[in-house]
Amino acid sequence: MERLENTNTKPFSDYTDPNIDSLLKHSIRTQLESLLQSKVSVGQRLELLQKSFVEAISLILSDTKVTHQQLVSAFENMYDQAVQSMALAELSQEVLTRQYISDTGLIMSPYNCKHTIKDVYRIKGYARGIDKAIQSKLKHKSKINILYPACGPFAPLLLPLLSYYKDTQKYSAQQLQVILVDVQPGAVMTLHQLVKDLQLEDYVSLIQEADATQFEPDVDIDLLVLEAMQHGFTKEGQLSIAKHLVKFLNIDGWLIPQSVSIRGMMVVGETEFNQQWKEVDYSHSTNMTKDAKEDRVELGEILSINKSSLLNMPILELEDGVNVVPANKVTLPDGVEDMSERFLAIYAHIDTFAEESVGQYDSGITHPKPEMSVYIDSRPREIEHTHFVANSGDTVQFYYQLSGLPGFVPVKV
Ligand SMILES: C[S@@+](CC[C@H](N)C(=O)[O-])C[C@H]1O[C@@H](n2cnc3c(N)ncnc32)[C@H](O)[C@@H]1O
C-alpha cells in the first residue's frame, strides 16, 4: 500500500522485542530530556504552550475554511509543546514505557499515547461536539461536571478546549468542573504537570489514578467523554469503561460520543485500501472515491453503542469466565460474484454530539480493519481454530468479547 500522509496517529500495535527494549527506553528518555535543553525561559515556554493549545482549538471551532496543512501544523505545534511538559514530569523509563493487557483491554504506555494529541480529525469531531454539548447544558444549569476516563497523558479531547475557554473567557471554572482519570501512573504525573503549565487547575477538580472500569465518581456527571478505541473496535476497553461509567450520568446526562456504530463490509483489498488513496494527500472520509464506495458490499451495523444500549446491554458469562455481549445478526448476501476474493473489514462511525462526527478514515480509531481470519465462500489452506468459515446466504451472529483482547467473535447461526 502506498504511504499516505497519515493523520491517523494512534499506533495499532506497540509490542517491543525484549532484546532491544532497554536500548529503546534509553533513547526515548534521552529524546525527551533533550527537549528541555532549549533556550527558552520558563515564562516563554508556558506562553508558547498555552498559545499552541488555544490556536489548535480556535482553528477547529472556526466556521471559516481552514486547510489540512494549517490544521496539521497547529496540532504538531501543540504536540511539541505538550511533550515538554511530559519531559518535565520526569517519568522513569519504566513508567514512561510500560504497556500491558488488563482484564478489559490494552493499557497503552504514556510514551505511545502521546501521539493521540496529533490526531487532528478525531480531536476536531470530539471537541466541536463537546463544545456544543457544554453550550447546551449550560443553558439550563449554572455548573456542570465532566468526567473524562482513560484520558491519556495529555487529555487531548478536553485540555485544549479548556485552554480556549480560559483564554476567550467563554466559560469559567465556576461553570465547568472536570475529572480526569487514567490507570497509568505516568499519564497521571504528566497530567498534573500539564494542567499546572496550562494554568487550568481551577477547571480540573480531580486527577485520579484509577482503573476506569472500577472508578466511582463522587459527584453526578453531566457529560461523560470517552475515547478508548482502536480500529475495528478491538484492543482497548471502550465498551467495558462505557458500560461501567454510564451509570454515573445524571438522568439527562450525555455520553460523548452519543453513538458509535460499528459496521461490517466485504471489500476487495486493492480497491478499498490502495487504489482509492492513490491520488489524495491524506486519508479522510471526504477523500474516499465513489468507485471504491460503490464496490463495497456493506453488511450493515454489527453493534450500536449509546447511552440507552449500554444501560440495557445484556452480558453473557461463558464457562471459562469470559464475558460476551450479543451484537447483531447479519445475513451474507447471495449473488456477489467475487465474494470469495473479498474479505471482511470492520469500521466505526462516531457521532460525537449534534451533527459533529468522526467518520471512517478520519482517524486510526475509525479506520476499517481487515479481519483476515474470516473466510466467505473460500477456505484457508489449513483451518485453525481462530478461522471463521461461512458461505454467501449464511446468517452470522456477532458477539463482542469483553476480555483483555476485546473484539468481535462471529458465529454461524
Ligand atoms: C490511547 S491513550 C489516550 C486516549 C485518550 N482518550 C485520547 O483522547 O487521546 C489510552 C489511555 O487510556 C488509558 N486507559 C486504557 N484503559 C483504561 C482503563 N481501564 N482505566 C483507566 N485508563 C485506561 C491508558 O492508560 C492510556 O493512558
Side-chain angles (χ1 to χ4, degrees), residues 6 27 33 41 55 67 73-74 97 104 109 172 187 209-210 225 232 238 247 321 345 377 388 407-408:
N6 200 355
S27 87
E33 277 159 11
S41 68
E55 271 177 11
T67 66
S73 36
T97 56
T104 50
S109 72
S172 71
E209 182 188 316
V225 173
Q238 175 98 5
K247 303 190 286 260
D377 292 350
F388 175 73
F408 288 99

Side-chain angles (χ1 to χ4, degrees), residues 10 107 113 116 122 148 150 152 156-157 182-184 210-212 227:
K10 202 160 182 178
I107 308 292
C113 277
T116 68
R122 180 185 65 110
Y148 181 9
L157 305 179
D182 201 288
V183 74
Q184 282 277 16
D211 186 328
E227 191 285 286

Side-chain angles (χ1 to χ4, degrees), residues 193-221:
Q193 182 71 43
L194 185 59
V195 167
K196 181 169 149 244
D197 289 350
L198 290 167
Q199 296 169 321
L200 291 174
E201 293 101 324
D202 289 352
Y203 286 88
V204 178
S205 57
L206 179 67
I207 300 175
Q208 182 72 40
E209 182 188 316
D211 186 328
T213 62
Q214 311 285 326
F215 176 74
E216 301 201 351
D218 56 11
V219 289
D220 276 359
I221 303 299

Side-chain angles (χ1 to χ4, degrees), residues 12-26:
F12 297 151
S13 176
D14 304 289
Y15 301 101
T16 313
D17 177 347
N19 295 325
I20 56 159
D21 206 25
S22 56
L23 270 176
L24 191 67
K25 283 175 183 171
H26 175 72

